Amino acid sequence: MYIQAITLFPEMFAALTEYGVTGRARQHGLWRFDALNPREFADNPLGYIDDRPFGGGPGMIMMAPPLQAAIDNAKKACPDGRLIYMSPQGTPLTHTRVSQLAQESGLIVLCGRYEGIDERILMGNDIEEISIGDFVVSGGELPAMMLIDAVLRLLPDVLGDDRSAQQDSFVDGLLDCPHYTRPIQFNQMVVPEVLRSGHHALIAQWRLAQSLKRTLTRRPDLLKGHAFTPQESRLLQEIQQEQQDIPL
Ligand code: 4GO
C-alpha cells in the first residue's frame, strides 16, 4: 500500500514509519510512505500557506492553492489513491471502515492545522472526511497516524501472527477479553484457572463469555447490531441469568 500524507510536519510521521510493527512492515516493503509539505507548493516566495478567515474571527485558515497543488501532486504519484481529510466534522471511524480502507492500493491523507482548511478543497475534490472521535486536537497528523496505523495492522504479514488482528476488539463486533501472562500470582491476584487448564474448547468459551460480559456492561450499543451465533446467544442468556441472581 502506498500512503501519502499532506502535512506541515512530515517528521511527525516517523512515529509510524520508524517504530514498532508499522516501522518493521515498511522496512520489509509491505507499505511505502511519502509526505508532501504544502509549504513547498506555496505560490508566494515566503512560503505562506495560511491566511485570516473571511468574515473575521480568531486563528488562521490553510489556503486552498498550496493544498490543491499538493493534492494534485499526490494524485499524480498515485492516481487510485483515496483522498481523506481528518476532521472532527467527519464520519466517525469504525473497524468496518478501517478494514475497507485496508483493501485500497493507496491513501492520501490531508492533515489540517490552525482552524482548518479552506472549504473549497472539500467542495472541489472527491474527499472523504473522517473523524477519530468527538474531540478536537491541534492538527490532523495524530488522527491521520491513528487511521493509518489501524489500516496497516490489517495488511497481510504486518502483525507477527495472523491471529492477532482477528482477536482484537470490534473485529467480531465485541470487545476483547481480558489477557494474562506470567507470573501466575501478582499482588494477591491469580490468573483464572481455566486459562491454565490447557482445555482449548473451555478456554475459547471462557474468552467469548468474557467478551460478551464486557460488551454488555461497557458498550451495550455494540450488541444492538450484532449477529449472535447460537453459542453467543446461549452464553449471553447465562450471563443475564447470573446478573439477575445477584441480589440488590
Ligand atoms: C481531526 C482533526 C480532531 C480530529 C482535528 C478528529 N481534531 N476528531 N484537528 O478526528 C483542522 C485543524 C482539524 C486541526 C484539526
Side-chain angles (χ1 to χ4, degrees):
M1 177 176 279
Y2 183 29
I3 295 177
Q4 298 178 91
I6 299 174
T7 170
L8 292 172
F9 302 108
E11 297 84 359
M12 286 182 73
F13 286 81
L16 224 47
T17 59
E18 307 305 318
Y19 294 88
V21 288
T22 56
R24 190 160 43 248
R26 193 189 56 79
Q27 282 170 354
H28 290 168
L30 300 177
W31 65 290
R32 290 196 296 139
F33 178 80
D34 279 309
L36 298 93
N37 192 334
R39 221 175 273 293
E40 293 180 11
F41 298 93
D43 49 6
N44 55 82
L46 292 177
Y48 291 125
I49 46 76
D50 59 329
D51 207 338
R52 289 162 299 167
F54 274 112
M60 300 291 271
I61 307 298
M62 290 178 83
M63 296 190 293
L67 287 179
Q68 190 60 55
I71 289 170
D72 293 345
N73 267 267
K75 271 275 173 196
K76 216 184 321 163
C78 184
D80 292 332
R82 256 184 120 60
L83 196 51
I84 294 167
Y85 177 56
M86 305 311 299
S87 142
Q89 283 86 50
T91 308
L93 187 60
T94 61
H95 173 74
T96 302
R97 189 69 193 120
V98 170
S99 40
Q100 289 165 351
L101 290 173
Q103 303 298 315
E104 298 285 337
S105 56
L107 301 178
I108 303 166
V109 191
L110 175 55
C111 309
R113 281 270 156 179
Y114 316 113
E115 303 306 308
I117 66 176
D118 191 300
E119 185 68 18
R120 290 166 293 185
I121 290 296
L122 301 172
M123 296 163 63
N125 294 277
D126 181 7
I127 185 164
E128 179 178 357
E129 250 182 292
I130 295 181
S131 167
I132 58 153
D134 287 343
F135 51 90
V136 177
V137 294
S138 39
E141 286 80 7
L142 290 170
M145 283 191 265
M146 292 181 63
L147 177 141
I148 295 165
D149 181 288
V151 168
L152 291 176
R153 60 200 300 292
L154 296 185
L155 298 185
D157 304 328
V158 168
L159 296 185
D161 187 329
D162 281 354
R163 294 170 303 172
S164 300
Q166 194 50 49
Q167 268 203 20
D168 287 331
S169 286
F170 309 114
V171 169
D172 55 7
L174 300 174
L175 298 182
D176 199 3
C177 62
H179 301 283
Y180 300 87
T181 186
R182 293 190 298 172
I184 287 177
Q185 183 165 347
F186 170 71
N187 284 359
Q188 260 65 266
M189 296 172 280
V190 293
V191 174
E193 180 81 52
V194 57
L195 296 179
R196 296 179 276 132
S197 68
H199 193 312
H200 299 296
L202 271 184
I203 291 170
Q205 166 162 297
W206 180 87
R207 286 179 168 159
L208 180 55
Q210 292 293 316
S211 283
L212 285 164
K213 270 187 199 179
R214 288 192 154 183
T215 311
L216 191 64
T217 53
R218 300 180 188 190
R219 293 294 304 278
D221 58 298
L222 291 179
L223 293 179
K224 292 259 197 307
H226 185 70
F228 288 93
T229 65
Q231 189 189 21
E232 287 172 350
S233 300
R234 185 173 53 74
L235 287 170
L236 188 64
Q237 271 186 346
E238 286 175 17
I239 291 163
Q240 283 168 330
Q241 191 61 50
E242 253 171 53
Q243 290 180 343
Q244 279 179 3
D245 292 346
I246 300 167
L248 292 172

